[in-house]
């Protein structure tokens, strides 16, 4: 017999698929970062100076592009995942809650705002230069990806908190159904993340 949902709690269509896409992003971003670390170790001296700066920058741009593309399937629904995780956090029994989760969700929210702002700036740049050459457009893409790297790295570092909260809520709150949320407006991006370069 199906468990009835508590008042005010309705299921989000495709929530499992959203969680699955987040997991795919985390694996892909991990792989891209591992490949970058290996390249960087082999192509820079002990002080971090690259032997071939141009090739090094090209390889970094490949890393940034890979992580941007890996996040693309998650980007539009990331706010919904965060809203659901925040709601779940309030329902998980206190002994099962990790203190870092609320802080990590705030970090993810800030990072998502940064990604949205970077994407908007890129679109505005393209709109202002409709006849830009392919080379200029590629340079704009690389600049967008590089600017978003810090925020995307934040999702790589803290995104597992969403998975942990989801799993803990399912384990500790039998019959819980995920709360549905409308996407919230995106405010201007904040700055100040420290990431691996």
């Amino acid at each position: 017999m199906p468990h009835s949902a508590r008042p005010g709690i309705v299921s989000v269509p495709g929530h499992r698929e959203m969680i699955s896409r987040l997991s795919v992003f985390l694996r892909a971003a991990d792989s891209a970062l591992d490949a970058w670390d290996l390249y960087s170790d082999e192509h820079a001296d002990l002080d971090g100076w690259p032997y071939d700066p141009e090739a090094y920058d090209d390889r970094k741009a490949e890393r940034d592009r890979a992580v941007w593309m890996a996040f693309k399937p998650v980007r539009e629904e990331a706010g919904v995942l965060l809203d659901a995780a925040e709601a779940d956090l309030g329902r998980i029994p206190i002994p099962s809650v990790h203190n870092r989760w609320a802080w990590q969700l705030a970090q993810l929210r800030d990072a998502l705002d940064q990604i949205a702002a970077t994407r908007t700036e890129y679109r505005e740049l393209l709109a202002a230069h409709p006849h830009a050459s392919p080379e200029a457009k590629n340079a704009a893409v690389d600049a967008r990806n590089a600017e978003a790297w810090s925020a995307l790295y934040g999702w790589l570092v803290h995104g597992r908190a969403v998975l942990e909260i989801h799993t803990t809520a399912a384990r500790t709150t039998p019959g819980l159904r995920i709360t549905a949320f409308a996407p919230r407006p995106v405010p201007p991006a904040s700055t100040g993340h420290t990431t691996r370069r």
Side-chain angles (χ1 to χ4, degrees), residues 71-100:
F71 192 70
K72 188 175 179 181
V74 180
R75 187 176 59 229
E76 298 302 326
E77 60 202 27
V80 175
L81 282 170
L82 292 176
D83 289 340
E86 287 168 355
D88 282 347
L89 200 52
R91 291 189 285 264
I92 295 172
I94 290 175
S96 297
V97 172
H98 290 278
N99 292 333
R100 61 180 164 80

Side-chain angles (χ1 to χ4, degrees), residues 8-121:
I9 301 178
V10 294
S11 62
V12 172
H15 187 263
R16 283 185 182 172
E17 289 78 7
M18 293 182 193
I19 289 291
S20 177
R21 283 189 286 273
L22 176 58
S23 297
V24 169
F25 159 71
L26 293 171
R27 288 194 299 272
D30 263 336
S31 294
L33 194 57
D34 286 346
W36 165 252
D37 286 342
L38 182 61
Y39 176 90
S40 183
D41 287 346
E42 293 177 350
H43 293 83
D45 64 23
L46 295 177
D47 293 323
W49 293 99
Y51 302 131
D52 182 342
E54 187 174 343
Y56 194 85
D57 287 346
D58 288 345
R59 183 62 186 81
K60 185 186 287 187
E62 287 178 21
R63 176 204 67 183
D64 296 348
R65 188 178 311 116
V67 176
W68 176 274
M69 293 306 295
F71 192 70
K72 188 175 179 181
V74 180
R75 187 176 59 229
E76 298 302 326
E77 60 202 27
V80 175
L81 282 170
L82 292 176
D83 289 340
E86 287 168 355
D88 282 347
L89 200 52
R91 291 189 285 264
I92 295 172
I94 290 175
S96 297
V97 172
H98 290 278
N99 292 333
R100 61 180 164 80
W101 282 345
W103 177 80
Q104 287 180 291
L105 293 180
Q107 295 298 305
L108 291 170
R109 183 79 68 188
D110 287 346
L112 187 59
D113 292 344
Q114 281 191 326
I115 293 165
T118 300
R119 189 170 175 234
T120 298
E121 290 170 8

Side-chain angles (χ1 to χ4, degrees), residues 3 13 16 34 44 61-62 70 79 81 91 105 108 130-132 136 139 154-156 159 162 164 169 178 182 197:
H3 191 286
R16 283 185 182 172
D34 286 346
E62 287 178 21
L81 282 170
R91 291 189 285 264
L105 293 180
L108 291 170
H131 303 298
W155 268 83
L156 172 58
V162 175
E164 293 168 358
I178 306 301
R197 293 283 173 193

